[in-house]
């Protein structure tokens, strides 16, 4: 027969901490605390299986449940010398929900269950404190009516506030026994009036009402939404805990409180918490009265003149300190505790591993490892990699005043202050003058890259979390607020209109990319603190990880930053970004718009020295670490002159008429550039472009090698290959250039050539492609676009709808679609290795910085992940956790 009910109490329990699936988190930990001999009021847990049975059987209870509950109530009675429903030996209980994971949205706890008009008198007599008895009864009516019978608690608060106003009281504790009795009469009348039936007087009816309410709350709308957002399966079900009451509201020697064994916001190893004298349950968190500090130390730090628990109740405090130490050692983690003191005696009501800030998590993990409480690997495994983001950017001082003028999406974390500019050119100008700019645009485009680089932060009024602005900003580690729809950019007048106010170029604003707020003026910031704890965790992570971590970088500034964040090379250097700057863009446009190969070569000759010096600088910064350089990739139209002014400038440089230029521009027009003339297709049409780039790379490698005395082994990556012959064609050109440069310089050059796998066809033909490719780098941004047939730039408008309607769970551009795109990656990796066992495999899409995707990369056995500089610490940690998990 199935066991539906597990008892605990008096130093023994039928369950254990490991039984969370069956008993829920709260029930399992109550059982564990009992087994440890801690003072826990006795009780029992109805299992999650009973909840599942309830739903599988049309909201009915298993046959034996009633008898099991009776027996368990008897067990509590034996341990307490009381009996449920018996006014002579009154036993009151609390009914508490408890799923595996703590879940807001579930039923609130009901306290003091078992009270009625008769038993309340017994409680008054028994305790010798009628005020306490009536206070407990009115709390019970309030909670039960709200939680079980669905009567809004506000109706009761109104009654109570009225009474207090009439009596001239401020605090609930001022009401006398008789005054509470009067309130109770009003409460009961209200229940009857609103619900058409009296408040239930039968304790058993009350109990089953509460048990049923816990089970039903598993399927209420709040709980369903919460489960969906947090990936909690419906099949888990919730447990119900029924527990003998202890009373924190029995006068001045009683209290209730919550505490953490270490400070959850700083991580400091010091008991931290709050309590209230003569109070019950959630009074501490409800904010009705201001709670007091538990320790003297915290009281002094807070500058409070209210006595601490340490001072007021020294004995209970001493036991609490002992117990909290014991629990932390036992669970080997910071604990979040709930307790009640009844007439000087301490009772433990809950323990669980506590939530904490990223900063606190690092400090605790490092200190616990130093204390020997956990191993270094456990310390590494405990940190949520995504949370590190909070620590890598400047943030707004929490104490600063915020004058919010608009809200958008928190597209890239961190905060930035600067003068409003509406164009990338202005952003660069300002930067040139040593001033700070916030680039404000409706949307950004690839042409804005230089402006985004120059700006402190980016604000757009359109576009989602994966819009161009958002993706590029995250890549650069720049704060960005995207899609701030309530703001309006008026390009005609050069203004930003926000909440009726008009802002102009030069006006100062601040954006908070962590919450999407746009603020007026400058706001006080806190610098990111890469403290010793952070460094220690990174070092421990590096010691266990298998995969290498590289960065996506093309500017010297990014490359340097990446090295300081631990990059072990460059996984993706996008050469096109190097062509947008100043004089280069003109030469680039000349090259693109040239009619003949000869003209093209002339323009390319101008670009060669610029490229060479770019690469040289990157090789020097990377000092012998691998550098993967991708040949020109985007459709050429992205470089074309748009304004009349630009056309005139290029026409003059090329010595042709503006009209002729316009014609050539039109000829380059494409209907679907994303799938158009780009990637290796450019190198096939215009091999001279690839040749120039290869020459720049090799000459730079030779020079860097000469200067440093170290061998530089560049990795040349051919983008968008789908057909092996494409790669063979381009590779032949690269090899030819290598031979010439070797002949010219007399230096032997070592290099790898490989391809990006970003088309499904490339994945399918990976075994054949690997005959020519010495490495694969999975370009999962484009591979996701081409596998789904979804354009990333247009996806934000419907992907969110898809998520809401449950068609997809996550944005596949943020976290790799493991079952679809991931399957292609897995297949290509296997096929590639089958042909060339030592083929180097890496990933360079945005996914290279996403923890879940990094786990997948470890599973498939990639050699490295590559991500933007600011995500490197996250990638290092996630790669370490993936390695630990894979053992
Ligand atoms: P939550 O999951 O929302 O924290 P709990 O079930 O822990 O809800 O109950 C909230 C509070 O109610 C507890 O922190 C405790 O103060 C009080 N409480 C619960 N059960 C009892 C009990 N048996 N005796 C006294 N107080 C209790
Ligand atoms: Mg609790
Ligand atoms: Mg691509």
């Amino acid at each position: 027969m199935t066991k539906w009910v597990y008892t605990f109490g008096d130093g023994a329990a039928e369950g254990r901490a490991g039984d969370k699936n069956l008993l829920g988190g709260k029930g399992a930990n109550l059982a564990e605390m009992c087994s440890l001999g801690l003072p826990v009021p006795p009780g029992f847990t109805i299992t999650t299986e009973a909840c599942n049975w309830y739903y599988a059987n049309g909201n009915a209870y298993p046959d034996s449940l009633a008898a099991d509950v009776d027996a368990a109530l008897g067990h509590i009675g034996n341990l307490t010398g009381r009996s449920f429903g018996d006014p002579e030996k009154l036993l009151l209980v609390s009914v508490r929900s408890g799923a595996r994971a703590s879940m807001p949205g579930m039923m609130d706890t009901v306290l003091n269950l078992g009270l009625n008009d008769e038993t309340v008198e017994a409680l008054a007599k028994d305790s010798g404190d009628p005020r306490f008895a009536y206070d407990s009864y009115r709390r019970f009516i309030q909670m039960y009516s709200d939680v079980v019978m669905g009567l809004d608690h506000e109706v009761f608060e109104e009654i109570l506030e009225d009474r207090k106003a009439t009596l001239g009281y401020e605090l609930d504790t001022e009401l006398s026994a008789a005054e509470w009795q009067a309130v109770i009469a009003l409460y009961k009348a209200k229940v009857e009036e609103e619900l058409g039936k009296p408040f239930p007087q039968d304790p058993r009816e009350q109990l089953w009402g509460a048990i049923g309410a816990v089970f039903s709350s598993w399927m209420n709308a709040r709980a369903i939404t919460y489960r969906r957002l947090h990936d909690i399966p419906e099949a888990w079900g919730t447990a119900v805990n029924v527990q003998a009451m202890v009373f924190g509201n029995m006068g001045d020697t009683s209290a209730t409180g919550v505490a953490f064994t270490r400070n959850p916001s700083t991580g400091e190893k010091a008991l931290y918490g709050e309590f209230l004298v003569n109070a019950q349950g959630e009074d501490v968190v409800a904010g009705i009265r201001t709670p007091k500090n538990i320790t003297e130390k915290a009281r002094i730090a807070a500058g409070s003149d209210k006595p601490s628990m340490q001072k007021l109740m020294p004995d209970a405090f001493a036991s609490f300190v002992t117990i909290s130490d014991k629990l932390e050692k036992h669970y080997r983690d910071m604990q979040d505790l709930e307790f009640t003191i009844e007439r000087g005696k301490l009772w433990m009501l809950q323990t669980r591993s506590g939530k904490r800030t990223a900063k606190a998590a690092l400090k605790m993990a490092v200190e616990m490892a130093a204390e020997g409480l956990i191993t270094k690997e456990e310390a590494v495994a405990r940190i949520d990699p995504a949370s590190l983001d909070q620590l890598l950017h400047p943030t707004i001082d929490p104490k600063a005043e915020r004058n919010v003028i608009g809200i958008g999406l928190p597209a890239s974390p961190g905060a930035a202050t600067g003068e409003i500019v509406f164009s990338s050119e202005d952003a660069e100008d300002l930067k040139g003058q040593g001033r700070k700019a916030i680039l404000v645009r409706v949307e950004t485009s690839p042409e804005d890259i230089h402006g985004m680089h120059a700006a402190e932060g980016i604000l757009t009024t359109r576009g989602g979390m994966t819009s161009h602005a958002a993706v590029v900003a995250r890549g650069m580690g720049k704060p960005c607020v995207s899609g701030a729809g309530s703001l309006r950019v008026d390009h005609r007048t050069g203004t930003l209109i926000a909440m009726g106010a008009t802002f102009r170029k030069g006006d100062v604003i601040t954006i908070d990319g962590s919450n999407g707020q746009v603020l007026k003026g400058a706001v006080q910031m806190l610098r990111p603190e890469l403290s010793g704890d952070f460094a220690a965790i990174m070092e421990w992570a590096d010691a266990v990880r298998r995969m290498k971590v590289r960065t996506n970088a093309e500017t010297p500034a990014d490359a340097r930053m990446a090295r300081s964040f631990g990059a072990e090379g460059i996984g993706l250097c996008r050469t096109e970004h190097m062509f947008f700057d100043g004089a280069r863009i003109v030469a680039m446009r000349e090259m693109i718009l040239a009619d003949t190969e000869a003209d093209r070569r002339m323009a390319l000759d101008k670009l060669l020295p610029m490229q060479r010096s770019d690469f040289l600088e990157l090789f020097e910064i990377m000092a012998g670490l691998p550098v993967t350089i991708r040949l020109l990739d985007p459709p050429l139209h992205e470089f074309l002159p748009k304004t009349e002014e630009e056309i005139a400038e290029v026409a003059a440089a090329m010595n042709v008429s503006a009209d002729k230029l316009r014609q050539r521009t039109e000829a380059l027009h494409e209907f679907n550039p994303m799938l158009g003339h780009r990637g290796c297709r450019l190198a096939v049409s215009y091999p001279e472009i690839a040749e120039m780039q290869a020459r720049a790379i090799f000459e730079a490698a030779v020079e860097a090698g000469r200067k440093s005395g170290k061998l530089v082994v560049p990795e040349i990556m051919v983008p968008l290959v789908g057909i092996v012959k494409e790669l063979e064609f381009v590779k032949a050109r690269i090899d030819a250039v290598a031979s010439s440069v070797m002949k010219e310089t007399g230096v032997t050059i070592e290099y790898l050539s490989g391809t990006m796998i970003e088309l499904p066809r490339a994945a399918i033909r990976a075994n054949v492609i690997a005959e020519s490719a010495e490495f694969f780098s999975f370009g999962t941004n484009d591979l996701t676009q081409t596998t789904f047939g979804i354009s990333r730039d247009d996806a934000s408008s419907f992907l969110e709808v898809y998520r809401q309607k449950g068609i997809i769970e996550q944005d596949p551009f943020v976290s790799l679609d493991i079952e679809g795109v991931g399957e292609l990656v897995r297949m290509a990796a296997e096929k590639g290795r089958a042909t060339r066992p030592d083929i180097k495999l890496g990933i360079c899409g945005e996914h290279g910085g996403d923890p879940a995707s990094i786990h997948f990369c470890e599973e498939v056995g990639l050699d490295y992940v590559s991500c933007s500089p600011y995500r490197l610490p996250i990638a290092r940690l996630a790669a370490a956790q993936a390695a630990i998990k894979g053992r």
Side-chain angles (χ1 to χ4, degrees):
M1 241 179 55
T2 316
K3 183 170 170 58
W4 304 111
V5 173
Y6 286 67
T7 60
F8 56 84
D10 208 18
E14 293 179 317
R16 292 179 303 110
D19 294 332
K20 286 201 177 65
N21 296 357
L22 187 63
L23 304 180
K26 201 181 285 168
N29 287 331
L30 282 169
E32 187 83 2
M33 283 199 290
C34 271
S35 304
L36 290 171
L38 302 184
V40 175
F44 59 87
T45 304
I46 304 175
T47 65
T48 55
E49 284 176 359
C51 176
N52 291 335
W53 198 97
Y54 173 87
Y55 281 109
N57 292 276
N59 300 2
Y61 300 112
D63 283 342
S64 57
L65 186 63
D68 290 353
V69 166
D70 276 343
L73 280 171
H75 178 76
I76 304 180
N78 288 340
L79 295 178
T80 55
R82 300 178 172 276
S83 170
F84 189 65
D86 179 354
E88 295 302 309
K89 295 181 290 175
L90 187 60
L91 170 64
L92 300 181
V93 296
S94 65
V95 177
R96 320 169 65 183
S97 64
R100 284 189 212 181
S102 140
M103 239 180 83
M106 293 299 301
M107 192 199 83
D108 290 327
T109 295
V110 177
L111 303 178
N112 311 329
L113 190 139
L115 280 176
N116 58 27
D117 295 348
E118 188 188 356
T119 53
V120 72
E121 302 301 337
L123 185 63
K125 210 165 92 228
D126 203 30
S127 65
D129 186 350
R131 192 213 60 84
F132 149 73
Y134 296 116
D135 176 46
S136 301
Y137 190 25
R138 68 90 191 178
R139 285 173 185 268
F140 173 53
I141 297 174
Q142 224 170 304
M143 271 185 267
Y144 192 92
S145 304
D146 176 10
V147 168
V148 179
M149 309 199 331
L151 184 57
D152 195 10
H153 60 99
E154 273 168 26
V155 304
F156 299 110
E157 269 147 38
E158 257 170 47
I159 293 173
L160 182 54
E161 286 313 309
D162 270 3
R163 280 315 296 166
K164 274 158 64 180
T166 316
L167 295 164
Y169 294 160
E170 228 172 274
L171 298 175
D172 294 1
T173 41
E174 292 173 68
L175 272 79
S176 69
E179 285 157 357
W180 278 125
Q181 271 181 299
V183 171
I184 289 167
L186 293 172
Y187 277 9
K188 287 199 303 184
K190 190 74 185 176
V191 170
E192 190 143 11
E193 178 195 325
E194 294 278 334
L195 301 175
K197 56 182 177 193
F199 185 80
Q201 292 288 312
D202 175 7
R204 251 162 239 278
E205 183 190 337
Q206 293 172 355
L207 179 62
W208 284 99
I211 292 171
V214 174
F215 283 169
S216 323
S217 69
W218 184 248
M219 287 298 184
N220 74 24
R222 268 200 307 166
I224 291 171
T225 308
Y226 186 86
R227 280 203 292 277
R228 191 164 50 72
L229 291 177
H230 294 85
D231 280 337
I232 295 176
E234 192 181 300
W236 281 8
T238 181
V240 185
N241 301 290
V242 178
Q243 189 176 24
M245 281 301 300
V246 290
F247 299 98
N249 55 338
M250 265 197 188
D252 287 344
T253 55
S254 302
T256 180
V258 296
F260 297 89
T261 57
R262 301 188 189 212
N263 188 313
S265 63
T266 64
E268 191 200 351
K269 189 180 181 187
L271 187 63
Y272 176 87
E274 297 179 322
F275 82 115
L276 271 178
V277 172
N278 198 9
Q280 196 176 43
E282 308 279 63
D283 287 4
V284 176
V285 282
I288 305 166
R289 282 154 62 195
T290 313
K292 302 169 193 171
N293 299 105
I294 288 187
T295 62
E296 267 300 283
K297 193 175 155 204
R299 181 193 68 78
I300 294 162
S304 157
D305 56 3
K306 307 259 174 51
S308 66
M309 181 169 133
Q310 184 170 11
K311 191 78 179 261
L312 217 53
M313 305 178 166
D315 293 342
F317 175 77
S319 336
F320 186 62
V321 170
T322 311
I323 288 172
S324 60
D325 281 352
K326 185 165 181 173
L327 283 171
E328 188 180 279
K329 288 219 173 66
H330 181 73
Y331 285 97
R332 304 166 67 240
D333 197 4
M334 183 267 269
Q335 295 295 293
D336 172 352
L337 307 168
E338 295 173 12
F339 64 93
T340 283
I341 296 166
E342 178 183 307
R343 292 191 169 156
K345 169 150 176 66
L346 173 71
W347 294 94
M348 296 305 297
L349 292 169
Q350 192 168 342
T351 190
R352 64 183 154 199
S353 288
K355 293 213 160 50
R356 61 205 77 183
T357 62
K359 189 175 158 205
L362 288 172
K363 188 174 176 68
M364 286 180 200
V366 170
E367 291 187 358
M368 285 180 189
E371 290 159 26
L373 195 59
I374 58 175
T375 65
K376 287 180 179 174
E377 271 186 22
E378 282 172 308
V380 166
R382 273 190 190 176
I383 311 292
D384 171 14
S387 74
L388 296 182
D389 222 19
Q390 293 171 24
L391 304 173
L392 293 168
H393 301 278
T395 48
I396 291 182
D397 187 338
K399 293 191 215 98
E401 198 180 310
R402 289 172 180 248
N403 187 347
V404 180
I405 54 168
I407 290 226
L409 300 168
S412 178
T417 296
E419 297 174 40
I420 294 176
V421 295
F422 295 103
S423 74
S424 289
E425 287 66 36
D426 287 345
E428 282 202 308
D429 280 355
L430 236 58
K431 175 152 189 169
Q433 302 165 30
R435 284 151 67 189
K436 297 185 158 149
I438 300 288
L439 179 61
V440 180
R441 318 259 330 181
V442 176
E443 287 172 301
T444 60
S445 72
E447 278 176 280
D448 288 315
I449 300 281
H450 63 116
M452 295 174 78
H453 255 299
E456 299 298 308
I458 298 108
L459 167 63
T460 67
T461 56
R462 212 184 286 155
M465 292 292 285
T466 55
S467 62
H468 179 268
V471 172
V472 174
R474 279 199 295 276
M476 292 178 178
K478 293 255 156 149
C480 172
V481 171
S482 67
S486 64
L487 303 183
R488 206 159 53 78
V489 174
D490 188 335
H491 279 300
R492 256 178 334 105
T493 55
T495 52
L496 170 71
I497 298 151
M499 308 227 309
T502 303
F503 295 82
R504 277 168 224 291
K505 185 174 146 190
D507 288 345
V508 173
I509 56 168
T510 296
I511 58 169
D512 186 343
S514 310
N515 67 7
Q517 287 181 349
V518 184
L519 309 154
K520 186 175 169 179
V523 185
Q524 188 62 39
M525 304 272 184
L526 299 177
R527 296 294 319 159
E529 215 182 290
L530 302 195
S531 67
D533 298 327
F534 196 112
I537 288 286
M538 283 297 122
E539 197 182 297
W540 299 347
D542 291 346
V544 292
R545 98 184 126 79
R546 179 191 64 81
M547 283 190 293
K548 295 272 181 199
V549 172
R550 298 197 197 177
T551 190
N552 299 349
E554 41 272 339
T555 66
D558 279 356
R560 277 194 203 96
M561 163 118 61
R563 283 215 63 190
S564 76
F565 283 154
E568 297 165 299
I570 291 181
L572 174 62
C573 168
R574 301 174 173 95
T575 47
E576 57 273 16
H577 288 181
M578 298 170 162
F579 293 123
F580 279 106
D581 269 9
R584 300 175 176 202
I585 187 69
V586 179
M588 186 67 184
R589 284 168 176 165
E590 281 178 51
M591 190 275 289
I592 293 167
L593 295 168
D595 271 337
T596 63
E597 186 183 326
D599 285 350
R600 225 172 359 256
R601 285 196 186 273
M602 241 161 60
L604 284 166
D605 283 346
K606 294 188 199 164
L607 290 168
L608 174 67
M610 303 183 202
Q611 280 260 279
R612 189 171 50 218
S613 69
D614 287 339
F615 296 142
L616 178 60
E617 199 171 356
L618 286 181
F619 290 147
E620 284 178 346
I621 294 168
M622 284 296 148
L625 294 170
V627 176
T628 304
I629 296 166
R630 179 177 73 182
L631 299 182
L632 191 65
D633 179 57
L636 296 180
H637 81 99
E638 283 188 13
F639 300 95
L640 289 181
K642 303 235 158 61
T643 63
E644 284 305 312
E645 208 183 340
E646 286 169 344
I647 291 178
E649 188 186 1
V650 180
M654 294 175 68
N655 208 7
V656 297
S657 74
D659 263 349
K660 171 129 195 290
L661 209 65
R662 239 175 258 120
Q663 276 168 24
R664 178 83 183 120
T665 312
E666 270 154 36
L668 281 169
H669 171 81
E670 289 182 316
F671 285 103
N672 205 341
M674 209 273 289
L675 301 175
H677 197 183
R678 50 169 296 212
C680 64
R681 298 160 200 168
L682 292 172
V684 171
S685 307
Y686 312 115
E688 54 279 9
I689 302 179
E691 285 169 11
M692 180 280 283
Q693 292 199 293
R695 176 168 284 277
I697 293 168
F698 292 133
E699 289 179 355
V702 168
E703 199 174 334
R706 250 191 215 132
K707 279 177 145 177
S708 67
K710 276 195 212 146
L711 185 67
V712 174
V713 184
E715 301 179 359
I716 301 182
M717 179 148 75
V718 181
L720 214 73
V721 165
I723 308 163
V724 68
K725 285 197 172 149
E726 291 173 318
L727 179 59
E728 285 167 358
F729 178 89
V730 182
K731 190 171 184 286
R733 300 302 175 117
I734 295 170
D735 292 343
V737 174
S739 321
S740 330
V741 177
M742 284 195 252
K743 218 175 272 153
E744 291 157 24
T745 58
V747 177
T748 313
I749 302 171
E750 279 182 40
Y751 63 98
L752 298 180
S753 40
T755 181
M756 227 173 176
I757 301 285
E758 50 188 333
L759 294 175
R761 192 179 197 283
I764 292 165
R765 300 289 290 161
N767 48 335
V768 181
I769 291 175
E771 282 166 17
S772 288
E774 290 161 300
F775 65 86
F776 286 166
S777 176
F778 291 97
T780 49
N781 294 345
D782 273 352
L783 190 59
T784 300
Q785 296 202 93
T786 52
T787 301
F788 276 91
I790 287 178
S791 144
R792 169 162 79 164
D793 299 313
D794 303 310
S796 63
S797 61
F798 57 87
L799 277 189
E800 188 47 34
V801 178
Y802 269 43
R803 246 169 44 79
Q804 281 163 11
K805 300 199 168 166
I807 291 171
I808 57 165
E809 274 177 14
Q810 270 169 321
D811 183 337
F813 294 105
V814 175
S815 198
L816 190 73
D817 159 46
I818 286 170
E819 52 193 32
V821 180
E823 205 45 43
L824 286 173
V825 172
R826 186 193 301 276
M827 179 179 78
E830 281 165 11
K831 287 186 172 215
R833 272 194 292 249
T835 302
R836 188 189 289 269
D838 64 344
I839 190 166
K840 244 196 210 186
L841 300 172
I843 183 173
C844 63
E846 282 261 302
H847 305 101
D850 168 64
S853 313
I854 291 170
H855 273 258
F856 173 77
C857 295
E858 171 74 23
E859 199 191 304
V860 185
L862 300 194
D863 297 300
Y864 68 87
V865 298
S866 187
C867 61
S868 54
Y870 274 96
R871 295 202 72 84
L872 280 162
I874 296 169
R876 286 160 75 189
L877 183 58
Q881 293 180 348
I884 293 170
K885 198 173 148 208
R887 286 199 190 138

